[in-house]
């Protein structure tokens, strides 16, 4: 039996979307937890996380516009996680710049 994507019912397509959203969002969670616990963000690029967070924010806006819940839920959670890591990174970067001048 050959699977044709054109024969999938809309609810099956939604299930695929929810599974994809869940897996890609949950995959991001270990990095977020490690960053919060250790506060070691030395291996994280502020530029990359800035672009990533902006991209996820745009995916969230797109999901809201087209009213697709898998996109909305996954990107809202990923945006919150990415933004929290980006804020930690920027705070750490700022602290490392200020410390050498404090004596």
């Amino acid at each position: 039996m050959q699977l044709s994507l054109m024969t999938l019912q809309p609810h099956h397509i939604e299930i695929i979307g929810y599974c994809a959203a869940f897996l890609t969002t949950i995959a991001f969670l270990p990095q977020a937890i490690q960053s919060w616990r250790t506060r070691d963000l030395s291996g994280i690029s502020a530029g990359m996380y800035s672009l990533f967070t902006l991209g996820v924010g745009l995916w969230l806006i797109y999901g809201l516009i087209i009213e697709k819940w898998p996109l909305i839920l996954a990107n809202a959670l990923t945006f919150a996680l990415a933004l929290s890591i980006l804020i930690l990174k920027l705070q750490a970067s700022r602290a490392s710049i200020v410390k050498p001048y404090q004596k």
Side-chain angles (χ1 to χ4, degrees):
M1 182 172 136
Q2 184 179 9
L3 176 65
S4 170
L5 296 178
M6 302 310 282
T7 62
L8 289 176
Q9 298 296 316
H11 66 279
H12 292 129
I13 295 169
E14 287 288 313
I15 290 170
I16 292 169
Y18 278 106
C19 289
F22 174 77
L23 291 172
T24 56
T25 301
I26 204 75
F28 193 80
L29 201 53
Q31 179 65 55
I33 291 170
Q34 181 179 354
S35 296
W36 295 329
R37 285 185 182 161
T38 66
R39 302 287 185 193
D40 178 11
L41 298 142
S42 59
I44 292 177
S45 163
M48 183 289 249
Y49 254 80
S50 297
L51 292 172
F52 177 76
T53 304
L54 178 60
V56 172
L58 291 173
W59 274 113
L60 174 58
I61 292 168
Y62 175 69
L64 290 166
I65 291 169
I66 65 171
E67 299 177 352
K68 292 296 180 184
W69 282 104
L71 282 175
I72 295 167
L73 296 174
N75 287 298
L77 181 55
T78 303
F79 182 77
L81 294 171
L83 185 61
S84 70
I85 292 172
L86 179 60
I87 289 169
L88 287 174
K89 177 64 178 178
L90 294 176
Q91 288 173 341
S93 296
R94 185 176 303 142
S96 68
I97 292 170
V98 172
K99 279 185 183 178
Y101 299 106
Q102 293 177 348
K103 288 196 174 191

